[in-house]
């Protein structure tokens, strides 16, 4: 997991070439101007999904896990909590390779407060629980950039 302010994202260059492509995109793009839905950046290796959602109580949500992609989660409007699963997690919903998605339960987690100006990179195979309510106003507009893990 990488958790920082978006203005510092260039510090994380060199981890992978696909992540570098995502960083280039974020440095050149005003996320407020992206349309809802999918925006291709580098075919199926790097793409953005912009969505509007309602944050929910943590009890209503599950940790998710991906194996093919890492997620860069960014709040464009609103503020959410994202939990990162630590040691001791187990499968809740079987992993689907076609969807690159599975759900799990984490016994311990770190809580990250998001909001405009912050980002988190959830690494592949790192359990994360996005869209948890951080306050009374639960409206979110967010961008999730999917970055393919390189072999």
């Amino acid at each position: 997991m990488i958790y920082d302010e978006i203005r510092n994202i260039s510090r994380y260059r060199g981890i992978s070439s696909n992540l570098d492509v995502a960083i280039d995109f974020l440095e050149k793009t005003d996320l407020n101007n992206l349309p809802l839905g999918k925006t291709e950046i580098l075919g199926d290796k790097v793409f953005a999904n912009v969505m509007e959602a309602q944050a929910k109580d943590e009890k209503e949500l599950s940790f998710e896990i991906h194996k093919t992609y890492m997620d860069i989660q960014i709040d464009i409007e609103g503020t959410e909590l994202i939990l990162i699963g630590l040691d001791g997690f187990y499968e809740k919903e079987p992993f689907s390779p076609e969807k690159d998605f599975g759900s799990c339960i984490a016994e311990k987690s770190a809580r990250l407060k998001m909001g405009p100006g912050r980002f988190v990179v959830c690494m592949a195979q790192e359990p994360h629980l996005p869209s948890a309510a951080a306050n009374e106003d639960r409206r979110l507009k967010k961008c999730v950039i999917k970055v393919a893990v390189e072999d």
Side-chain angles (χ1 to χ4, degrees):
M1 173 239 336
I2 300 169
Y3 174 63
D4 203 342
E5 295 179 353
I6 199 76
R7 65 188 170 118
N8 298 327
I9 199 160
S10 65
R11 292 179 181 171
Y12 304 99
R13 288 185 186 285
I15 294 172
S16 80
S17 60
N18 287 340
L19 184 59
D20 288 351
V21 168
I23 291 168
D24 289 343
F25 176 80
L26 287 168
E27 289 181 328
K28 298 174 187 170
T29 305
D30 181 352
L31 298 180
N32 292 297
N33 293 331
L34 285 180
L36 293 176
K38 184 176 180 178
T39 299
E40 285 192 17
I41 300 167
L42 184 63
D44 64 349
K45 293 179 188 274
V46 182
F47 56 92
N49 283 317
V50 175
M51 63 202 81
E52 293 177 337
Q54 292 288 318
K56 298 180 179 178
D57 291 329
E58 289 174 35
K59 295 173 274 187
E60 299 176 59
L61 300 167
S62 295
F63 282 86
E64 58 187 55
I65 195 162
H66 314 292
K67 295 181 180 178
T68 304
Y69 292 94
M70 58 182 102
D71 285 356
I72 304 175
Q73 304 247 351
I74 305 162
D75 289 349
I76 299 169
E77 297 173 11
T79 301
E80 69 184 305
L81 295 175
I82 295 181
L83 283 67
I84 304 294
L86 304 174
D87 296 335
F89 57 91
Y90 55 94
E91 187 177 85
K92 180 177 177 184
E93 176 185 327
F95 184 80
S96 166
E98 298 78 31
K99 296 178 183 176
D100 190 38
F101 183 88
S103 68
C104 61
I105 296 172
E107 294 175 6
K108 295 180 182 179
S109 61
R111 299 165 57 86
L112 310 175
K113 188 169 184 179
M114 298 296 290
R118 299 208 66 82
F119 76 96
V120 63
V121 178
C122 303
M123 300 299 179
Q125 302 195 47
E126 184 172 51
H128 54 286
L129 185 150
S131 301
N135 50 44
E136 294 291 319
D137 185 357
R138 295 182 174 214
R139 291 173 294 152
L140 295 173
K141 181 177 180 186
K142 63 184 291 180
C143 179
V144 178
I145 299 181
K146 305 294 280 186
V147 179
V149 174
E150 298 167 61
D151 297 329

